Amino acid sequence: MTQIVLGIESSCDETAAAVVDSERNILSNVVLSQIEEHAPYGGVVPEIAARAHIDHLDRLIAEAMAEARVDFDDLDAVAATAGPGLIGGVMIGLVTAKAICTARDKPLIGLNHLEAHALTARLTNDVAFPYLLLLVSGGHCQLVSVTGVNQYKRLGTTLDDAVGEAFDKAAKMMGLGYPGGPLVEIAARKGDASRFKLPRPMKGRDNCDFSFSGLKTAVRRALDSIGDQANDQDHADLCASFQAAVGDVLADRTKRAMGLFEEQHPGARRLVIAGGVAANKAIGERLSTITDRSGFDLIVPPPGLCTDNAAMVAWAGLERLKLGLTSDMTISARARWPLDSLAGATDKPFTGAKA
Ligand code: KG4
Ligand code: ZN
């Protein structure tokens, strides 16, 4: 029988609600971005985010339910991000989900936000397990072997900044605005990627880890070398050079992980990219050069489902519901919550200061 789940997302600066069914239909998907509220500060301000979630979440849930033409009684479960993320926001979404579940006697699914990103490609492209996942977002940069729901093995992670964070910081240095990723991508289209010689941190290393802080410093030096008179073309060239460096690093690290993944799962040649940075077309094209050569399928969900949304939360909820993996009402919000048991030492707490 078809199951229906309401998803709620509030871990950062998007307030979102969506209704999805087990036949992979997105019945509604409402996302309210708080970009304008945070833009003057050049990054997400946790207090402002939490207040905005409180102000808008109830209305967005009502909108998502109305658009999907379902009543709370029609739901099979309610799924909400329970972490990792900005704790105030996560608490608001999770408590709201608990309230609906209590009032309507529905199962609750408290989800790991990274798991929601990790499983999105199964909603959009019906991808089979196992697959290699490159998770690239504002708070994370990881290579993960995904062998099933709740079965994630981290192959590599960033030693410092997340890749989306690097985009945001580079954009901020150039005064492009927030969030920086999409703005860097647009500017880069008119730029000459060969003008600035930027480093490729970690390239060729004997592991699957990343590092982006050196690249950030190199962008700062390049800007200093131009001086106060940097014009739009200078910025476009720097954006193109930066994006090319990021693309090269992601391709190198991912290629290494593909080798490891194939050793463990012969024949399972699938690479999924997820998270906000997966919305970047140039990065997708760069990664397709390595997947094409190795005979891997490259799966990238549509941009609106790469950046934070609640359809991915509802879908991950459906995947868990199918396996009976529901949550206890006592589940609490977590600022930090590594996707796999290997994680820990190198996982930074998420502070929200993405820019
Ligand atoms: O997954 P997401 O929406 O939120 C987190 O869970 O972090 O990712 C947001 C990040 C931001 O750093 C944003 O600048 C980046 O994804 N991003 C992009 C693009 N669109 C969003 N980075 C590069 N190119 C893009 N087109
Ligand atoms: Zn995210």
Side-chain angles (χ1 to χ4, degrees):
M1 211 186 67
T2 306
Q3 293 186 304
I4 301 177
V5 167
L6 165 69
I8 297 173
E9 163 59 38
S10 59
S11 65
C12 193
D13 58 345
E14 267 94 21
T15 318
V19 180
V20 177
D21 73 20
S22 50
E23 305 297 313
R24 298 172 43 238
N25 297 305
I26 299 175
L27 305 179
S28 61
N29 183 21
V30 188
V31 185
L32 180 81
S33 167
Q34 304 170 4
I35 285 175
E36 282 177 16
E37 280 154 274
H38 299 286
Y41 307 94
V44 179
V45 183
E47 177 76 17
I48 293 175
R51 285 171 189 270
H53 290 307
I54 289 181
D55 287 346
H56 302 295
L57 187 56
D58 286 0
R59 177 177 56 80
L60 292 183
I61 291 172
E63 264 179 45
M65 297 292 288
E67 201 184 311
R69 295 176 186 275
V70 293
D71 184 77
F72 287 118
D73 287 332
D74 300 324
L75 298 174
D76 291 283
V78 180
T81 295
L86 299 173
I87 195 71
V90 178
M91 282 167 69
I92 290 156
L94 188 58
V95 163
T96 304
K98 284 184 182 180
I100 299 170
C101 291
T102 306
R104 301 294 174 127
D105 197 21
K106 300 288 176 190
L108 169 74
I109 299 159
L111 271 169
N112 184 307
H113 178 85
L114 306 178
E115 178 172 50
H117 278 302
L119 298 176
T120 305
R122 288 171 52 78
L123 164 65
T124 57
N125 300 66
D126 204 11
V127 180
F129 295 124
Y131 52 84
L132 177 66
L133 170 74
L134 172 64
L135 179 57
V136 276
S137 71
H140 301 271
C141 186
Q142 302 183 357
L143 279 156
V144 182
S145 167
V146 180
T147 48
V149 176
N150 213 20
Q151 291 171 40
Y152 312 101
K153 185 166 182 275
R154 199 172 73 182
L155 304 177
T157 189
T158 181
L159 305 178
D160 40 56
D161 295 346
V163 60
E165 194 179 353
F167 267 97
D168 293 336
K169 285 178 176 169
K172 191 174 184 182
M173 285 184 241
M174 289 181 253
L176 297 182
Y178 178 84
L183 300 168
V184 169
E185 181 178 13
I186 292 166
R189 286 186 203 135
K190 295 191 185 122
D192 170 8
S194 64
R195 174 163 164 207
F196 296 97
K197 304 280 172 274
L198 302 181
R200 268 63 177 160
M202 306 296 281
K203 192 172 169 194
R205 288 283 179 95
D206 196 17
N207 58 32
C208 299
D209 289 335
F210 304 85
S211 165
F212 294 101
S213 70
L215 197 48
K216 184 178 66 190
T217 311
V219 168
R220 158 65 48 218
R221 285 215 190 92
L223 274 172
D224 289 347
S225 74
I226 305 167
D228 295 339
Q229 304 304 319
N231 59 31
D232 287 352
Q233 191 57 52
D234 293 323
H235 286 155
D237 292 345
L238 189 50
C239 285
S241 304
F242 169 80
Q243 192 170 264
V246 171
D248 283 353
V249 168
L250 292 178
D252 177 76
R253 311 286 63 214
T254 305
K255 196 168 149 208
R256 207 181 145 65
M258 280 160 59
L260 292 178
F261 181 78
E262 224 194 334
E263 271 171 30
Q264 285 160 9
H265 307 284
R269 298 198 183 107
R270 289 180 283 272
L271 173 68
V272 170
I273 328 179
V277 181
N280 185 301
K281 288 267 177 312
I283 300 280
E285 278 160 24
R286 179 69 182 88
L287 287 164
S288 71
T289 62
I290 55 162
T291 49
D292 285 354
R293 246 178 274 145
S294 344
F296 267 64
D297 284 336
L298 176 64
I299 300 111
V300 193
L305 294 173
C306 286
T307 48
D308 286 351
N309 66 88
M312 68 180 189
V313 175
W315 174 255
L318 280 157
E319 295 251 41
R320 287 197 155 252
L321 186 63
K322 218 185 299 170
L323 302 174
L325 297 170
T326 56
S327 306
D328 195 271
M329 262 320 159
T330 56
I331 184 175
S332 37
R334 297 172 68 171
R336 239 177 120 144
W337 188 2
L339 188 54
D340 78 343
S341 51
L342 288 178
T346 55
D347 237 59
K348 291 192 299 181
F350 186 49
T351 60
K354 287 208 248 174

